[in-house]
């Protein structure tokens, strides 16, 4: 049964400050006309990617009671979107949740958040990486960056610029894990442009989309990208068009952050571009 308004379940942490995970997924999906129900995996004062002294409250014990209650309410989700997960055990529970809520026509969308720039995030362990691999085998779509793709494929991380051949081998190997659609972020062939590549294993089609390249590291852009990509897909865009929208949205947000010299640790100034998102999805009519 389809919902009147597309209904997504977002399984991420709440980092109180820092524009990532649920503080990004909720506003973006809502602006895109999608009901976003949340299963918070942990509550932190900030994200873990650069602040010191952050608080961390693990919510692993809440996962099963929350989804059992939702089951008892006979809720249907058009998409289940997982991101940052707090512990090894938690990744296993999310895998079980996927089995409980998977239907013939919904999508399991996994952003295998584990690291960036060749390094694991501080709360991630090798054991969690193995468990994330298993989680991805149950997904319909995965959205890794190159660091995460390398971890999932158990191969060493390589700095860019990349070649088409290198990216296409990564995409095809990732699809062998199980997901039929792969969107790989952080793809660049020169120092002028950066973007994403997508692969649909059913059609064999590989596509690319690039924007300009801004130097520096902007926190939370993976979550902004994933949320816009899912927003596009749930609004019936083709994979390539949803990816292009996500690249454009992230690029605009980075440019504005740079223009205002805002501290990139606090994420990108994406709020200004929610009207752009609504327009590109044709939701302003
Ligand atoms: O943006 C990914 C992310 C999500 N949640 C938390 C994080 C990070 C990356 O550092 O620390 C808590």
């Amino acid at each position: 049964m389809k919902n009147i308004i597309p209904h997504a379940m977002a399984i991420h942490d709440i980092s109180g400050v820092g524009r990532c995970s649920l503080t990004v997924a909720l506003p973006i999906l809502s602006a895109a006309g999608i009901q976003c129900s949340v299963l918070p995996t942990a509550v932190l004062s900030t994200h873990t990617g650069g602040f010191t002294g952050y608080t961390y409250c693990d919510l692993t014990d809440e996962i099963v009671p929350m989804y059992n209650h939702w089951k008892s309410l006979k809720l249907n989700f058009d998409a289940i979107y997982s991101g940052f997960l707090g512990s090894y055990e938690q990744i296993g529970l999310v895998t079980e949740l996927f089995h409980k809520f998977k239907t013939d026509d919904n999508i399991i969308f996994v952003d295998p958040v584990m690291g960036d720039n060749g390094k694991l995030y501080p709360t991630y362990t090798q054991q969690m990486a193995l468990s994330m691999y298993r989680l991805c085998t149950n997904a319909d779509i995965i959205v890794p960056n190159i660091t995460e793709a390398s971890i999932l494929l158990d191969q060493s991380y390589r700095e860019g610029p990349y070649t088409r051949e290198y990216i296409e081998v990564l995409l095809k190997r990732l699809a062998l894990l199980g997901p039929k659609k792969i969107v790989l972020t952080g793809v660049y062939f020169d120092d002028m442009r950066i973007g994403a590549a997508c692969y649909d294993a059913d059609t064999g089609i590989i596509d690319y989309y690039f924007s300009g390249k801004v130097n520096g590291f902007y926190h939370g852009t993976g979550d902004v990208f994933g949320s816009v990509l899912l927003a596009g897909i749930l609004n019936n865009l083709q994979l390539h068009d949803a990816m292009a929208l996500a690249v454009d949205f992230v690029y605009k947000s980075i440019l504005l952050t740079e223009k205002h010299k805002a501290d990139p640790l606090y994420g990108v100034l994406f709020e200004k571009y929610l009207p752009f998102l609504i327009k590109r999805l044709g939701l302003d009519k």
Side-chain angles (χ1 to χ4, degrees), residues 8 59 83 86 99 114 136 140 158 161-162 179 193 203 213 250 258:
L59 293 176
H99 289 294
M114 286 189 283
C136 288
D140 298 302
R158 239 194 67 185
Y162 303 100
R193 297 183 317 150
T203 60
K213 195 166 188 291
V250 169
E258 194 199 29

Side-chain angles (χ1 to χ4, degrees), residues 189-225:
F189 299 136
D190 55 53
D191 284 326
M192 305 297 289
R193 297 183 317 150
I194 187 161
C198 64
Y199 175 53
D200 184 329
D202 284 329
T203 60
I205 294 175
I206 292 179
D207 269 314
Y208 294 92
Y209 190 83
F210 297 98
S211 66
K213 195 166 188 291
V214 180
N215 287 330
F217 181 70
Y218 288 86
H219 207 92
T221 48
D223 299 334
V224 175
F225 183 94

Side-chain angles (χ1 to χ4, degrees), residues 24-193:
V24 161
L26 261 170
I28 290 178
L29 289 170
S30 297
I34 294 152
Q35 181 190 355
C36 181
S37 295
V38 300
L39 201 156
T41 57
V43 178
L44 299 88
S45 52
T46 65
H47 61 69
T48 65
F51 293 99
T52 50
Y54 52 82
T55 67
Y56 189 102
C57 173
D58 181 77
L59 293 176
T60 302
D61 291 346
E62 295 299 310
I63 293 180
V64 176
M66 279 186 74
Y67 80 58
N68 276 340
H69 184 214
W70 292 347
K71 262 281 155 210
S72 78
L73 298 173
K74 302 202 180 342
L75 297 176
N76 285 311
F77 297 92
D78 301 290
I80 302 171
Y81 170 24
S82 75
F84 179 95
L85 298 173
S87 63
Y88 171 75
E89 190 195 351
Q90 199 168 86
I91 305 175
L93 295 176
V94 173
T95 310
E96 283 168 29
L97 178 152
F98 285 175
H99 289 294
K100 297 241 180 323
F101 287 91
K102 179 69 193 152
T103 64
D104 289 341
D105 50 15
N106 70 3
I107 52 172
I108 308 269
F109 183 107
V110 174
D111 182 353
V113 175
M114 286 189 283
D116 214 336
N117 288 316
K119 288 201 210 83
L120 281 176
Y121 291 132
T123 57
Y124 273 81
T125 60
Q126 288 300 334
Q127 193 195 30
M128 284 168 78
L130 191 65
S131 190
M132 190 61 94
Y133 168 94
R134 277 191 229 111
L135 189 71
C136 288
T137 65
N138 291 286
D140 298 302
I141 306 184
I142 60 170
V143 194
N145 59 31
I146 305 238
T147 302
E148 291 152 353
S150 309
I151 298 169
L152 289 171
L153 296 172
D154 197 22
Q155 63 185 58
S156 52
Y157 171 73
R158 239 194 67 185
E159 300 257 346
Y162 303 100
T163 60
R164 266 176 192 262
E165 192 202 357
Y166 183 77
I167 295 301
E168 294 182 8
V169 168
L170 278 186
L171 289 169
K172 288 181 181 167
R173 284 196 185 146
L174 288 165
L176 292 177
L177 305 186
K180 289 284 165 57
K181 293 185 172 65
I182 313 290
V183 179
L184 186 62
T185 60
V187 173
Y188 63 105
F189 299 136
D190 55 53
D191 284 326
M192 305 297 289
R193 297 183 317 150

